Amino acid sequence: MASTNEEDKDPDIELFVKAGSDGESIGNCPFSQRLFMILWLKGVVFNVTTVDLKRKPADLHNLAPGTHPPFLTFNGEVRTDVNKIEEFLEEKLAPPKYPKLAAKNRESNTAGNDIFAKFSAYVKNTKPEANASLEKGLLKALRKLDNFLNSPLPEEIDADSMEEEKCSTRKYLDGNELTLADCNLLPKLHVVKVVSKKYRNFDIPTEFTGVWRYLQNAYARDEFINTCAADKEIELAYQDVARRLAK
């Protein structure tokens, strides 16, 4: 019977994430939040340690030399590459005990994947004459995501119905459950929303109903709000990155 008990036991997992400005709270890091969300959604027991990058403790230095968070230990073994960690967790924490989190539709994995790069170019720019075209680039990427979120997924379409295709009402990228695709995109999308407002006075247009529905549904989930840095932390992280437009 002992072996069954061993199998029933949760693995020993510790996630190391970037600390905030006080050295203790959660700092701004979409990659840290991505792994935090995955572990929470898996329903596995795990510990979280926030790492103050200004005073990285010696024991952490020895654990993952030269590595910035996020990283994790799984039964004592250190893993550092975020994409590989995601694959590893999906493989190791599998049904029947843990839910599968991979998206069913391939398009869900790439939806919104150009938004963060467009946003970075927009907030780092210092030339007033380039601002409008960079903002247009961000809007175009957000519109593409909005179109995806408002277009029904194959399983939402009734093949026998003669009615015209309706607008999708799903909560997340791949349906009404959070998937790995959301764990990747949502933390970045939230940063885009917070930072663009603070440093460019840019709001995601209300006409992007799909994007807003998506964000509001995320904000209703503990797995998102309890793994997310406070807005002030996000703004602080971009204080030196977001450039003022030259007069």
Side-chain angles (χ1 to χ4, degrees):
M1 285 306 287
S3 63
T4 320
N5 284 346
E6 282 302 306
E7 280 168 26
D8 285 346
K9 253 173 49 181
D10 271 330
D12 184 9
I13 301 173
E14 184 154 10
L15 175 65
F16 296 85
V17 301
K18 182 181 155 189
S21 53
D22 61 1
E24 287 177 13
S25 60
I26 299 168
N28 169 62
C29 175
F31 304 105
S32 290
Q33 191 181 2
R34 176 180 171 187
L35 296 180
F36 203 161
M37 284 180 74
I38 291 169
L39 289 167
W40 194 315
L41 288 163
K42 284 287 185 187
V44 67
V45 175
F46 63 100
N47 288 317
V48 178
T49 298
T50 52
V51 180
D52 185 354
L53 295 181
K54 295 190 289 289
R55 297 189 296 273
K56 197 173 175 188
D59 53 343
L60 281 191
H61 226 34
N62 301 335
L63 191 62
T67 304
H68 279 320
F71 54 88
L72 64 75
T73 58
F74 190 98
N75 289 336
E77 198 178 318
V78 182
R79 301 194 165 258
T80 56
D81 179 296
V82 177
N83 289 330
K84 286 183 182 159
I85 291 172
E86 179 183 274
E87 281 171 28
F88 174 79
L89 293 174
E90 184 70 349
E91 183 196 324
K92 288 286 180 195
L93 305 175
K97 189 168 182 190
Y98 306 102
K100 190 171 182 286
L101 295 178
K104 293 189 288 291
N105 299 284
R106 217 176 52 220
E107 294 77 13
S108 302
N109 292 316
T110 53
N113 65 355
D114 53 346
I115 290 173
F116 206 68
K118 301 285 184 196
F119 150 78
S120 294
Y122 175 54
V123 296
K124 288 176 184 175
N125 166 54
T126 54
K127 297 180 186 134
E129 65 274 17
N131 189 58
S133 70
L134 290 168
E135 187 173 298
K136 213 188 236 167
L138 175 58
L139 280 166
K140 190 179 169 190
L142 286 164
R143 183 174 285 108
K144 206 165 83 180
L145 174 64
D146 190 63
N147 289 340
F148 175 76
L149 288 163
N150 280 332
S151 305
L153 293 170
E155 56 267 34
E156 290 182 280
I157 298 165
D158 181 356
D160 303 323
S161 172
M162 296 306 284
E163 284 177 43
E164 223 174 287
E165 258 185 42
K166 288 190 202 72
C167 185
S168 175
T169 56
R170 70 184 185 277
K171 292 181 176 181
Y172 308 111
L173 288 173
D174 201 56
N176 288 327
E177 297 300 330
L178 287 164
T179 62
L180 295 175
D182 300 299
C183 297
N184 186 14
L185 181 61
L186 275 169
K188 294 176 184 169
L189 190 59
H190 179 66
V191 169
V192 170
K193 185 188 113 182
V194 171
V195 175
S196 300
K197 176 65 181 168
K198 169 77 176 172
Y199 294 106
R200 288 291 180 268
N201 200 23
F202 169 91
D203 287 301
I204 296 173
T206 49
E207 76 211 49
F208 292 171
T209 53
V211 174
W212 279 107
R213 184 180 74 244
Y214 183 44
L215 283 169
Q216 296 306 339
N217 282 315
Y219 297 154
R221 294 288 294 258
D222 285 346
E223 297 93 337
F224 182 80
I225 56 165
N226 291 332
T227 57
C228 190
D231 286 4
K232 281 270 170 274
E233 284 295 335
I234 297 171
E235 290 170 1
L236 204 58
Y238 274 85
Q239 204 169 21
D240 299 327
V241 179
R243 298 288 172 212
R244 288 184 182 280
L245 292 176
K247 290 280 179 275

